[in-house]
Amino acid sequence: MKVILQNLTKKFPSRDKKKQEDVIAVNDFTFEIPDGKLIGLLGPSGCGKSTTLNLISGLLQPTSGKIFFGEDDVTDLPPENRGIGLVFQNYALYPHLTVKQNILFPLQNLKGKDKLSKAAMLEKACEVARLVQIEELMERKPGELSGGQQQRVAIARALVKMPRVLLLDEPLSNLDARLRLQTREEIRRIQRETKITTIFVTHDQEEAMSISDMIVVMKDGMVQQIGKPQDVYDNPDNLFVARFLGTPPINVFEGQVKENKLYIGEDAVLSIKGVTNQEVYVGIRPEGFLLREDGPFTCALRGVEVMGRDISVVSANKASLNSTIRSIIATEKKVDIEGVTVRFALVPRKVFLFNRETEERIYFEAE
Ligand code: ADP
Ligand code: MG
């Protein structure tokens, strides 16, 4: 089921006596979520992710704009008539019911022609329990389960009615690091098997990048960029997106373009074409640095961290906005750790320029 958001806007009245303007939690969203895909809604806390999800679920009514599921305008439908499954960060299971009863619960509320026999309900519950691999836990109560198991039960409960759209709001945030990794792979597998259009909300860029077919990067209620995770990483539209994606994060410098050369401080680090003389921000991905004894970019060496396959060279430069510069170098390269400075050449496609005022991307051609 494809989901279309059309000029979707949600304003909340300000509760702040000094600042009377409304909070625009979701500002004019227009995009289409393709059928059968897993979409990651990604952005820092407070950027409007949960509000967007709650508008799609019907728990909130938009201030303006429309929502379509396929051809159906669902904007005025109550949540129970939209055919959605919801999973939240805090599992929200009924503590006094067993796992089986929790999963059966949405089916027991079906009325009229949708009403199912006991046997049919049980069959559906067992089917989703198998899908999320909790068949052996059916008689337990939520209090007797680990966080990861509870979240699987919540997912099973959301899936048991075979929703048209599955909505997950930070579903992994309460799990420890290892379970988080495992459960996110499970969610990916379940989504592939069921092919239910799924919207996955997270503030964790790595999580979103690793499981999404498409990511929507948000900031302050506005969509910043939409695309395949790798494409957005390789081609950020603005400085915010460039900074939000990637670990270690992108290194940002103050720089200047002068006569077809890109300068960071006194160093002419790249020859470029197609950019008029101006001050810019320069973003360089950690993998964009090459160790070269005669490299044009000189930094103060701060240390070397061994990470197995790669090493991370930590350095500093006056023009850097980050307190340290992190570059990832293959271990074959030897770094003189006694050295005071380190010199780099740059990989042009790992270097991005941004306008100093608007922070929008400036495209250049490498010489
Ligand atoms: P996220 O899920 O990305 O952390 P939210 O969608 O929860 O962000 O919130 C977006 C913005 O809307 C925030 O500034 C938040 O304070 C505000 N907001 C959310 N819900 C309400 C509400 N019920 N009343 C007033 N403001 C709200
Ligand atoms: Mg939220």
Side-chain angles (χ1 to χ4, degrees):
M1 178 67 50
K2 80 177 166 192
V3 175
I4 299 166
L5 309 185
Q6 214 173 67
N7 304 108
L8 197 66
T9 297
K10 180 67 180 176
K11 295 180 186 168
F12 292 110
S14 167
R15 296 220 176 85
D16 190 339
K17 291 239 158 53
K18 291 194 202 103
K19 232 176 79 195
Q20 293 290 339
E21 311 109 74
D22 293 345
V23 177
I24 309 179
V26 171
N27 195 344
D28 198 22
F29 279 17
T30 297
F31 58 85
E32 185 175 319
I33 296 164
D35 180 33
K37 299 288 187 208
L38 195 161
I39 301 309
L41 274 190
L42 174 64
S45 178
C47 72
K49 304 180 296 294
S50 295
T51 305
T52 308
L53 212 69
N54 291 338
L55 291 170
I56 297 172
S57 72
L59 292 175
L60 283 175
Q61 269 305 102
T63 309
S64 57
K66 286 192 178 305
I67 302 167
F68 295 86
F69 285 4
E71 305 299 312
D72 299 346
D73 182 346
V74 300
T75 317
D76 297 321
L77 279 188
E80 59 273 20
N81 296 345
R82 290 192 185 191
I84 45 140
L86 268 173
V87 177
F88 299 101
Q89 175 177 341
N90 56 3
Y91 325 132
L93 299 172
Y94 304 109
H96 57 289
L97 299 182
T98 63
V99 167
K100 194 201 297 175
Q101 290 165 335
N102 264 286
I103 299 174
L104 283 170
F105 195 84
L107 298 178
Q108 287 161 339
N109 283 335
L110 294 174
K111 303 262 153 56
K113 65 173 175 41
D114 295 328
K115 208 167 154 56
L116 293 173
S117 71
K118 270 213 164 101
M121 285 195 266
L122 203 58
E123 193 183 328
K124 278 186 189 287
C126 290
E127 195 184 311
V128 289
R130 246 193 322 277
L131 184 70
V132 305
Q133 297 175 345
I134 50 164
E135 305 116 289
E136 70 284 8
L137 306 175
M138 292 292 257
E139 302 308 325
R140 293 209 206 165
K141 299 242 171 99
E144 300 159 352
L145 302 176
S146 72
Q149 290 167 333
Q150 290 188 54
Q151 197 53 303
R152 281 163 196 251
V153 178
I155 294 168
R157 190 180 55 183
L159 287 174
V160 73
K161 280 204 281 184
M162 277 299 138
R164 301 200 283 178
V165 181
L166 179 63
L167 304 169
L168 307 161
D169 194 349
E170 311 244 11
L172 308 179
S173 298
N174 283 3
L175 308 182
D176 65 44
R178 228 170 100 188
L179 259 180
R180 206 151 55 220
L181 215 67
Q182 190 191 343
T183 314
R184 88 182 184 205
E185 282 159 20
E186 287 286 292
I187 290 175
R188 176 82 265 206
R189 176 184 61 77
I190 292 162
Q191 197 276 329
R192 288 240 166 95
E193 282 180 29
T194 59
K195 298 197 175 61
I196 295 173
T197 307
T198 300
I199 304 171
F200 182 102
V201 162
T202 177
H203 63 275
D204 180 333
Q205 58 90 23
E206 195 194 326
E207 198 168 284
M209 298 271 284
S210 64
I211 69 166
S212 308
D213 293 307
M214 194 170 105
I215 55 171
V216 178
V217 185
M218 298 168 51
K219 179 195 172 200
D220 299 338
M222 298 220 256
V223 172
Q224 302 293 302
Q225 195 167 354
I226 302 177
K228 289 185 185 153
Q230 190 70 47
D231 293 347
V232 179
Y233 180 84
D234 288 337
N235 254 316
D237 282 344
N238 61 42
L239 183 60
F240 174 82
V241 174
R243 284 184 135 162
F244 202 72
L245 301 184
T247 36
I250 196 164
N251 301 284
V252 183
F253 303 86
E254 288 175 339
Q256 286 90 34
V257 176
K258 264 191 298 196
E259 313 305 333
N260 292 330
K261 288 211 157 45
L262 173 63
Y263 285 86
I264 298 177
E266 304 288 301
D267 296 342
V269 296
L270 270 186
S271 292
I272 61 171
K273 280 196 301 204
V275 183
T276 52
N277 293 352
Q278 60 188 293
E279 308 241 298
V280 292
Y281 286 122
V282 186
I284 309 174
R285 292 276 182 216
E287 65 275 23
F289 295 85
L290 303 171
L291 274 185
R292 292 279 187 275
E293 274 171 20
D294 58 350
F297 188 29
T298 305
C299 295
L301 183 62
R302 286 285 160 82
V304 174
E305 291 169 2
V306 180
M307 303 189 296
R309 186 161 45 96
D310 307 311
I311 54 174
S312 168
V313 174
V314 184
S315 60
N317 186 289
K318 273 202 208 97
S320 172
L321 299 193
N322 317 40
S323 56
T324 53
I325 305 161
R326 288 193 171 266
S327 44
I328 306 293
I329 312 279
T331 35
E332 303 87 79
K333 293 276 178 210
K334 287 270 176 295
V335 184
D336 175 12
I337 49 174
E338 303 295 311
V340 179
T341 58
V342 59
R343 295 180 68 162
F344 300 108
L346 302 178
V347 182
R349 67 186 171 81
K350 294 289 178 182
V351 178
F352 311 122
L353 304 186
F354 303 97
N355 183 292
R356 274 281 178 99
E357 263 94 60
T358 64
E359 303 191 354
E360 293 296 314
R361 179 87 175 269
I362 301 168
Y363 292 85
F364 66 88
E365 270 179 73
E367 281 265 292

